[in-house]
Amino acid sequence: MVKKIRTEAVNSLFDAILTLQNREECFTFFEDICTVNELLSLSQRFEVAHMLREERTYLDIAEKTGASTATISRVNRSLNYGNDGYDMVFERLNEKKKE
């Protein structure tokens, strides 16, 4: 059975996230809604994705982030066959840096 992500509950969560106005508000909200390990796992995946886009090796990524090769592989699969969410965010962050 495939779980559907587009539910009312997920919509409500995303709507709540979209109300956050700065990094401090993000810390406040995410510290309440996530465990420390959940938040660290999300940030680790994001860092892995960034390093994969820089064409770093799995070994280098694993050493730097502490991510398992399974996690690195999963993130790589998302980068190559996912919905381009990582790339969308990376492009926006790069544009923001240029400003």
Side-chain angles (χ1 to χ4, degrees):
M1 173 194 240
V2 176
K3 290 185 179 181
K4 294 172 74 174
I5 188 173
R6 295 182 186 267
T7 66
E8 284 303 311
V10 173
N11 285 341
S12 293
L13 173 62
F14 289 167
D15 289 343
I17 292 169
L18 289 169
T19 68
L20 302 173
Q21 296 180 4
N22 55 50
R23 185 176 292 140
E24 196 57 42
E25 288 186 2
C26 287
F27 273 107
T28 300
F29 180 72
F30 281 95
E31 285 178 348
D32 283 350
I33 199 165
C34 295
T35 65
V36 170
N37 285 339
E38 288 168 336
L39 194 50
L40 292 175
S41 291
L42 290 172
S43 64
Q44 181 187 62
R45 287 184 212 142
F46 189 72
E47 186 177 13
V48 166
H50 185 261
M51 293 177 77
L52 284 167
R53 279 297 180 241
E54 291 178 334
E55 298 183 1
R56 306 273 285 275
T57 66
Y58 275 35
L59 180 60
D60 187 31
I61 295 168
E63 287 176 356
K64 169 91 169 62
T65 66
S68 68
T69 55
T71 295
I72 298 168
S73 180
R74 201 172 313 121
V75 171
N76 194 41
R77 192 168 40 253
S78 292
L79 285 169
N80 292 317
Y81 304 107
N83 294 316
D84 298 325
Y86 283 115
D87 289 331
M88 175 183 62
V89 170
F90 292 145
E91 285 176 29
R92 289 181 183 169
L93 287 171
N94 283 335
E95 288 171 12
K96 197 171 184 175
K97 283 182 187 175
K98 292 176 185 176
E99 293 175 356

